[in-house]
């Protein structure tokens, strides 16, 4: 096999398996970033206090997912943890009646699949690419090397998991006990944390690459309810874009 990030490409067995084959195996493609650059995005977004990541280029795989492709299914074995290099992955739980609840939209630099992989448990949700996406697949060998050779990573992962757990409890509380207005406000704040950027035309403003439907699904309300609430908040609605003022 060759090094991933330059030269030839190969799939590591840990990233495949029956679960991936059942939903259509992602294909490998030359990545627009090197492994080091992708991990630097992960570090800057999640662990800015850590030093540079060690070299694991020969231990990981790149996966290319077209829009709508499932990376892993709900209940599948946890074979790796993943980092988004480009694009976006939606993590969602689907009920028996077909309804779904969105847990998170993972954008470049974001990690997912950590808890199931670290604990050796089946996945509790499915991960689906919302657009053309490239994902860094970190299997057991690369994971072990990172923990051993990257000072502070183990503690940083525990802290990140604790924050995510607390956030999920908050969202669950909102979904079960709060009014639609509160759920929409909480969902909008989550989307802004994940992907909003400063509005270059409005000092103090923000622009969010998201749709009313995404917000409605995350808050557990109808699209009509979300639209009415957004307009009441003075938020400008555009094509796959929301625009507003801080906070």
């Amino acid at each position: 096999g060759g090094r991933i990030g330059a030269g030839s490409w190969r799939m590591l067995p840990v990233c495949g398996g029956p679960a991936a084959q059942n939903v259509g195996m992602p294909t490998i493609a030359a990545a627009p970033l090197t492994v080091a650059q992708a991990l630097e995005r992960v570090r800057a977004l999640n662990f800015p206090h850590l030093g540079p990541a060690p070299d694991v280029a020969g231990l990981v795989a790149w996966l290319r997912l077209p829009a709508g492709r499932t990376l892993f299914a709900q209940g599948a074995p946890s074979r790796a943890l993943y980092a988004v290099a480009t694009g976006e992955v939606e993590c969602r739980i689907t009920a028996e009646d077909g309804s779904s609840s969105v847990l998170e939209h993972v954008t470049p630099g974001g990690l997912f699949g950590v808890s199931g992989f670290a604990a050796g448990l089946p996945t509790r949700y499915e991960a689906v690419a919302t657009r053309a996406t490239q994902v860094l697949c970190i299997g057991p060998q690369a994971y072990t090397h990172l923990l051993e050779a990257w000072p502070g990573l183990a503690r940083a992962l525990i802290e990140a998991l604790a924050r995510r757990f607390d956030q999920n409890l908050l969202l669950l509380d909102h979904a079960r006990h709060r009014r639609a207005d509160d759920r929409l406000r909480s969902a909008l704040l989550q989307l802004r944390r994940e992907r909003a950027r400063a509005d270059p035309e409005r000092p103090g403003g923000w622009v969010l690459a998201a749709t009313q439907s995404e917000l409605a699904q995350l808050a557990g309300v109808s699209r009509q309810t979300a639209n009415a609430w957004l307009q009441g908040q003075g938020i400008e609605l555009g094509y796959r874009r929301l625009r507003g003022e801080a906070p």
Side-chain angles (χ1 to χ4, degrees), residues 161-222:
L161 286 172
R163 288 193 299 269
R164 185 167 297 181
F165 181 73
D166 183 68
Q167 183 183 54
N168 287 341
L169 286 179
L170 179 63
L171 290 174
L172 181 61
D173 179 58
H174 285 172
R176 290 183 175 179
H177 305 295
R178 303 296 177 87
R179 296 179 298 117
D181 180 78
D182 291 331
R183 299 203 305 269
L184 282 161
R185 183 173 289 104
S186 180
L188 180 62
L189 287 174
Q190 178 180 337
L191 289 174
R192 284 177 57 186
R193 282 195 301 267
E194 293 174 357
R195 54 175 112 153
R197 58 182 176 82
D199 190 338
E201 300 177 9
R202 300 179 184 177
W206 50 265
V207 178
L208 174 63
T211 65
Q212 303 97 298
S213 295
E214 286 180 89
L215 179 67
Q217 186 178 38
L218 190 60
V221 301
S222 69

Side-chain angles (χ1 to χ4, degrees), residues 21 25 31 48 107 187 200-201 221 233:
Q21 293 166 7
M25 189 59 212
T107 51
E201 300 177 9
V221 301
Q233 299 296 311

